[in-house]
Amino acid sequence: MSEIRFTDQHEWVRIDGDVATIGITDYAQEQLGDVVYVELPEVGKAVAAGDEAAVVESVKAASEVYAPVSGEVVEVNGDLEGAPGGVNEDAMGRGWFVKVKLSDKSELAKLMDEDAYKAFVEGLA
């Protein structure tokens, strides 16, 4: 069973074994508006927690997607390069950006669980 954690910058990370799938939350994609471009890293790139993992451009703004965890990029979602609107259609599913092989699972303890993230977003309203 996978575990999902969240950042206060509205990234999510789904953990399956030692691989973390990273994307942005529904809240983030709603704030951005229609996504028109996604820039993804190269497979093999090392990222540290807090580093830029991808870039998203929308009709409203450009925004960095930060890695919630450290590791090596093992896969990117190439479907987004031709159809970046997939982020808007299914941000928590097929709209993921990268998969990272975790280098330090202890970093997950710094992230919010789903209940904490929902409370965080409610506090923004």
Side-chain angles (χ1 to χ4, degrees), residues 62-78:
S63 181
E64 289 81 18
V65 177
Y66 298 103
V69 292
S70 301
E72 178 184 335
V73 175
V74 294
E75 187 177 348
V76 297
N77 188 349

Side-chain angles (χ1 to χ4, degrees), residues 54-124:
V55 176
V56 179
E57 292 183 20
S58 72
V59 294
K60 293 182 182 178
S63 181
E64 289 81 18
V65 177
Y66 298 103
V69 292
S70 301
E72 178 184 335
V73 175
V74 294
E75 187 177 348
V76 297
N77 188 349
D79 292 345
L80 294 180
E81 292 176 339
V87 173
N88 297 111
E89 295 163 12
D90 189 12
M92 298 288 294
R94 66 182 180 88
W96 62 274
F97 294 98
V98 298
K99 292 186 179 185
V100 172
K101 182 172 182 176
L102 292 169
S103 61
D104 184 359
K105 280 191 170 187
S106 71
E107 292 174 336
L108 296 170
K110 299 175 186 172
L111 304 176
M112 292 179 268
D113 64 17
E114 190 168 358
D115 290 338
Y117 179 72
K118 284 180 182 177
F120 172 72
V121 170
E122 288 172 5
L124 297 176

Side-chain angles (χ1 to χ4, degrees), residues 3-65:
E3 171 187 1
I4 298 179
R5 296 289 182 164
F6 300 87
T7 71
D8 61 2
Q9 296 295 310
H10 308 288
E11 291 95 9
W12 59 263
V13 56
R14 181 177 294 118
I15 307 302
D16 288 304
D18 65 349
V19 175
T21 303
I22 299 168
I24 61 172
T25 64
D26 282 324
Y27 177 85
Q29 68 83 17
E30 288 170 6
Q31 297 301 304
L32 283 170
D34 292 337
V35 174
V36 296
Y37 176 75
V38 174
E39 181 180 318
L40 301 170
E42 295 289 324
V43 170
K45 178 182 178 180
V47 294
D51 284 357
E52 180 182 295
V55 176
V56 179
E57 292 183 20
S58 72
V59 294
K60 293 182 182 178
S63 181
E64 289 81 18
V65 177

